[in-house]
Amino acid sequence: MLIVSTINSQLTPTPATRTVAFTTPENNYASRLALLLHRHNFTPLSCPTVIVGPTTATTTSLRHHISLLHHFSAVAFTSRAGITAFFTALSQSPPPPLPAGKDFIISALGKDAELLTPDFISYLSPNSEKVRLILPSNPTPSGLVDSLGPGLGRKVLCPVPLVLGLEEPTVVPDFLRDLGLMGWVPSRVNAYETRWAGPKCVEKLVEVDELDGLVFTSTAEVEGLLKSLSEYGLDWEGVRKRWPGLVVAAHGPVTASGAER
């Protein structure tokens, strides 16, 4: 069963501590998620199935695109990792030129926007009034497209992951397509890599006797989990038989639909 909600609203702790595993990368939402689970009296079990982070090649590519920002009207972030990678490259670059005579738009999803700090804005432009922040009320890639409105032929830079060793989820291709349909000219830049964490990444999970919950924060994590389970001779049906009361939680509707698929 796939549940799209916060894990603590679906699992009610009992005096006996219940174990909840999560597959998010260690440098992404893992520490926050572990803390929230611990506060609600669950035992968090971190089993990252993908590794996320920038490389020399992705940083070099980002810096090149940052030097050309005067050709763009907006930057659209679909992930926390994309913002972090962009800011790292931005802080290593000369102040980028921005288009003259009009606002420059940056957009992000949900709590990811907390990374768009005044420090971030100051690196982007010494005039903070020139930068306009757009946060969609519907924190999904499609919601982001809607919030940007008609592109009118303007260019938007999209820092997204390069997926290695896994099938690329449809999220990014669909996002770029939807921007184009809205009249934007999207320019994809591989800002960081998402790659499989390897055959042993679910070792801690398969060794536990009792597992009450499993949390996914991206579709790539689901594929990484299934790929690693096969190394242990398991599939999803085997997981359901082993822990018949297992609750699965997905972080948002996009991850939920990917997990179901």
Side-chain angles (χ1 to χ4, degrees):
M1 181 178 184
L2 190 66
I3 297 176
V4 185
S5 185
T6 52
I7 187 70
N8 58 291
S9 68
Q10 298 296 326
L11 288 172
T12 303
T14 62
T17 303
R18 306 176 76 180
T19 299
V20 177
F22 51 93
T23 55
T24 190
E26 291 180 347
N27 60 343
N28 207 358
Y29 304 100
S31 58
R32 177 186 295 173
L33 184 52
L35 180 61
L36 287 171
L37 290 168
H38 182 73
R39 285 178 178 173
H40 287 82
N41 299 320
F42 299 113
T43 298
L45 180 65
S46 177
C47 296
T49 59
V50 294
I51 298 170
V52 170
T55 65
T56 300
T58 59
T59 301
T60 299
S61 181
L62 270 175
R63 293 184 65 182
H64 171 70
H65 282 79
I66 287 169
S67 71
L68 301 174
L69 275 183
H70 56 288
H71 294 304
F72 293 86
S73 298
V75 178
F77 296 106
T78 57
S79 70
R80 200 176 188 88
I83 299 174
T84 301
F86 185 90
F87 181 67
T88 298
L90 183 64
S91 63
Q92 297 172 355
S93 305
L98 295 184
K102 52 187 175 181
D103 289 344
F104 188 81
I105 299 169
I106 55 175
S107 186
L109 302 176
K111 289 184 72 65
D112 292 354
E114 67 189 15
L115 297 181
L116 302 177
T117 62
D119 196 29
F120 183 105
I121 302 300
S122 69
Y123 272 101
L124 195 60
S125 172
N127 181 6
S128 61
E129 294 182 357
K130 185 176 177 61
V131 180
R132 183 156 62 100
L133 180 60
I134 292 180
L135 304 178
S137 57
N138 173 20
T140 65
S142 60
L144 193 156
V145 173
D146 291 339
S147 69
L148 286 173
L152 305 176
R154 291 174 293 171
K155 294 183 68 175
V156 54
L157 185 63
C158 304
V160 297
L162 173 64
V163 181
L164 300 173
L166 299 167
E167 180 181 346
E168 181 179 37
T170 60
V171 177
V172 168
D174 289 350
F175 174 62
L176 298 175
R177 179 204 63 205
D178 291 345
L179 283 169
L181 292 174
M182 190 62 83
W184 288 91
V185 180
S187 181
R188 173 178 183 152
V189 54
N190 294 325
Y192 59 98
E193 290 183 356
T194 296
R195 61 185 187 276
W196 183 41
K200 298 287 187 179
C201 66
V202 295
E203 184 175 16
K204 289 190 293 183
L205 187 147
V206 299
E207 288 178 348
V208 298
D209 294 325
E210 299 292 336
L211 185 64
D212 301 284
L214 179 59
V215 182
F216 298 119
T217 57
S218 74
T219 302
E221 295 168 29
V222 182
E223 186 186 349
L225 175 84
L226 296 175
K227 191 172 180 178
S228 298
L229 285 174
S230 67
E231 299 286 336
Y232 289 87
L234 289 171
D235 57 14
W236 186 245
E237 288 303 314
V239 169
R240 294 180 64 186
K241 290 177 181 177
R242 183 170 179 177
W243 299 296
L246 181 68
V247 172
V248 177
H251 183 241
V254 175
T255 300
S257 63
E260 287 175 326
R261 183 175 65 252

